[in-house]
Amino acid sequence: MNTAATTPDVTTVRVELGERAYDIVIGRGLLAAGGKLVAERLPKVRAAIVTDENVGRLHLPTLSASLAEAGIDHVPVIVPPGEGSKNFATLEQVVRAVLAARLERGDIVIALGGGVIGDLSGFASAIVRRGMRFVQVPTSLLAQVDSSVGGKTGINTPEGKNLVGAFHQPDLVIADTGVLDTLSPREFRAGYAEVAKYGLIDDPDFFAWLEANWAGIFSGGPEREYAVATSCRAKAKVVAADEHETGERALLNLGHTFGHALEAATGYSQRLVHGEGVAIGMALAHQFSARMNLCSPDDGERVVRHLKAVGLPTTIGDIAGDLPDADGLMKLIAQDKKVSRGTLTFILTRGIGQAFIAKDVPPDAVRSFLQEKLEA
Ligand SMILES: NC(=O)c1ccc[n+]([C@@H]2O[C@H](COP(=O)([O-])OP(=O)(O)OC[C@H]3O[C@@H](n4cnc5c(N)ncnc54)[C@H](O)[C@@H]3O)[C@@H](O)[C@H]2O)c1
Ligand SMILES: O=C(O)C(=O)C[C@@H](O)[C@H](O)[C@H](O)COP(=O)(O)O
Ligand SMILES: [Zn+2]
């Protein structure tokens, strides 16, 4: 069970994981209270703040001042922005900087940034001294609604997305919804794909609410806090029930089997950022489900209509430049972590909000579906 306590300014969602339970604190302007929130829960720690050049320029001074005010000694570790930083070289940079600062096992790594920074520095915190404490300060919409929660950390390799990593839960998540005001429209849209995902998995009412209210999320109205908190509650519930993805957590992978293959195929570059891959992947998952007579084609059309309305890509053809052929994409899909004894698992659907885990999906059906989509 997850509990949530709401005040006018701050919403707290608890991730119920026994002795590793933690709070997600959500509200506008929380960055300046970051030091206090950390000190209340983790007294007398030192910290490394890992961030990227963009977020560091915009938001590091506020967090740094608030840590100093709370008496938390800290060092910044700044890496290049973008998916390309989820690699061994940047992991080494972060690990070495944390060691050089002589942080102890009980000290903290703070991820100040989007999902790239969270995944990268979370993995560093999992392996330095066999596991340090970790605080997520997510600054992208995607990180606030998804990647900062649940403890999946890791890096990419040319073979595939997130293939090297560890489950390592944070001790605290501080989501200041105000910092999203500086996010580019493209990155905001990309993060929105993961918000829509929660509706499509098992909450058709939330999807319908999003269809009616998405503009308020983008413009920074109260809809934004509601969408972040609803997404965090949905994710916290799944993570509490299945922390290590032995079962239902795989539902959070809706759209990701296709999406991750497309991200690898585009070299983890700006040609396709993660949330865009997820948007295309969710459209494909609904269309493939209709092809397999699991849901109505109308469901796929509704998903595409909404994702397009917010400006997200929905087809493979929306990706600029060359892509591998269907066999090349199938090779990438075969590296998916849901593959078991060589058979493919996809998250498919019986309709809006009715996703399910489909094992033993016939590869020939996927290949011919992809062939058709590549030619469209
Ligand atoms: N661990 C998980 O459960 C999980 C879940 C979803 C996604 N992910 C991972 O998250 C990554 C994608 O995260 P992302 O979309 O946040 O990408 P990102 O971290 O690359 O951030 C996107 C861009 O926005 C910039 N940015 C971030 N916050 C900003 C702000 N407030 N103002 C201005 N610019 C800002 C960054 O510098 C970057 O250029 C992928 O690697 C994906 O695999 C992990
Ligand atoms: O937390 C999860 O579980 C998810 O699947 C969330 C996804 O949005 C996220 O992209 C995750 O990193 C994908 O996990 P992976 O195990 O397929 O790498
Ligand atoms: Zn994702």
Side-chain angles (χ1 to χ4, degrees):
M1 282 293 289
N2 297 285
T3 54
T6 307
T7 71
D9 301 313
V10 174
T11 301
T12 302
V13 177
R14 185 122 179 113
V15 185
E16 295 290 4
L17 280 170
E19 61 184 13
R20 283 170 294 105
Y22 56 93
D23 287 337
I24 308 164
V25 191
I26 303 159
R28 190 171 265 276
L30 281 180
L31 198 60
K36 181 171 168 284
L37 291 167
V38 170
E40 279 167 5
R41 290 164 177 82
L42 302 163
K44 299 192 176 130
V45 288
R46 295 178 65 231
I49 307 178
V50 183
T51 191
D52 71 29
E53 287 152 9
N54 298 335
V55 179
R57 198 176 52 251
L58 292 162
H59 300 297
L60 181 58
T62 306
L63 182 61
S64 185
S66 116
L67 291 182
E69 201 181 324
I72 301 173
D73 177 36
H74 57 280
V75 292
V77 182
I78 299 175
V79 305
E83 191 71 33
S85 281
K86 267 176 67 171
N87 63 12
F88 279 110
T90 318
L91 177 69
E92 181 177 2
Q93 180 197 334
V94 174
V95 163
R96 298 289 302 277
V98 171
L99 292 171
R102 298 182 178 280
L103 295 191
E104 299 170 1
R105 187 183 272 173
D107 288 329
I108 53 174
V109 173
I110 301 179
L112 173 68
V116 165
I117 291 300
D119 283 13
L120 173 74
S121 60
F123 188 32
S125 76
I127 58 177
V128 172
R129 303 193 199 284
R130 297 207 183 93
M132 295 178 58
R133 291 195 278 181
F134 177 41
V135 171
Q136 288 266 18
V137 184
T139 64
S140 67
L141 178 62
L142 184 142
Q144 296 194 354
V145 300
D146 191 349
S147 62
S148 62
V149 178
K152 275 191 180 176
T153 72
I155 58 172
N156 308 320
T157 72
E159 290 80 7
K161 271 283 289 190
N162 303 334
L163 293 186
V164 177
F167 286 98
H168 187 60
Q169 299 292 341
D171 294 276
L172 171 66
V173 180
I174 302 169
D176 177 348
T177 51
V179 301
L180 302 183
D181 292 343
T182 59
L183 197 60
S184 72
R186 180 183 180 188
E187 293 295 354
F188 201 100
R189 284 195 295 271
Y192 182 84
E194 303 270 27
V195 178
K197 180 182 79 174
Y198 295 108
L200 293 174
I201 291 173
D202 66 355
D203 193 345
D205 292 344
F206 184 50
F207 188 74
W209 181 86
L210 289 171
E211 288 175 310
N213 292 285
W214 64 268
I217 301 173
F218 280 69
S219 66
E223 294 87 352
R224 184 183 288 178
E225 276 73 30
Y226 177 76
V228 172
T230 302
S231 302
C232 286
R233 280 191 196 103
K235 182 152 186 184
K237 189 170 161 216
V238 175
V239 168
D242 179 21
E243 182 180 6
H244 296 117
E245 199 175 294
T246 55
E248 71 173 90
R249 181 164 181 171
L251 291 168
L252 298 174
N253 242 230
L254 176 63
H256 285 63
T257 316
F258 291 121
H260 278 173
L262 293 169
E263 280 187 84
T266 48
Y268 311 116
S269 67
Q270 286 299 107
R271 278 176 68 196
L272 184 75
V273 297
H274 177 75
E276 294 169 342
V278 171
I280 296 172
M282 291 194 301
L284 293 175
H286 281 75
Q287 290 160 352
F288 183 68
S289 299
R291 171 69 53 86
M292 304 293 278
N293 293 318
L294 294 163
C295 72
S296 156
D298 295 349
D299 295 320
E301 281 161 28
R302 185 171 163 199
V303 172
V304 167
R305 201 161 46 243
H306 180 53
L307 297 176
K308 268 191 178 165
V310 309
L312 278 163
T314 55
T315 68
I316 293 180
D318 289 336
I319 304 169
D322 292 338
L323 285 171
D325 61 13
D327 285 329
L329 289 177
M330 289 304 290
K331 278 199 185 111
L332 292 167
I333 284 175
Q335 283 281 10
D336 184 63
K337 291 185 288 309
K338 297 187 297 303
V339 168
S340 170
R341 298 181 195 274
T343 67
L344 296 181
T345 295
F346 273 77
I347 310 309
L348 298 181
T349 190
R350 298 193 177 86
I352 303 292
Q354 296 179 64
F356 68 98
I357 301 165
K359 297 193 170 161
D360 270 329
V361 175
D364 287 348
V366 181
R367 185 184 291 104
S368 59
F369 173 76
L370 281 173
Q371 181 77 47
E372 188 187 300
K373 294 293 172 190
L374 283 161
E375 285 164 4

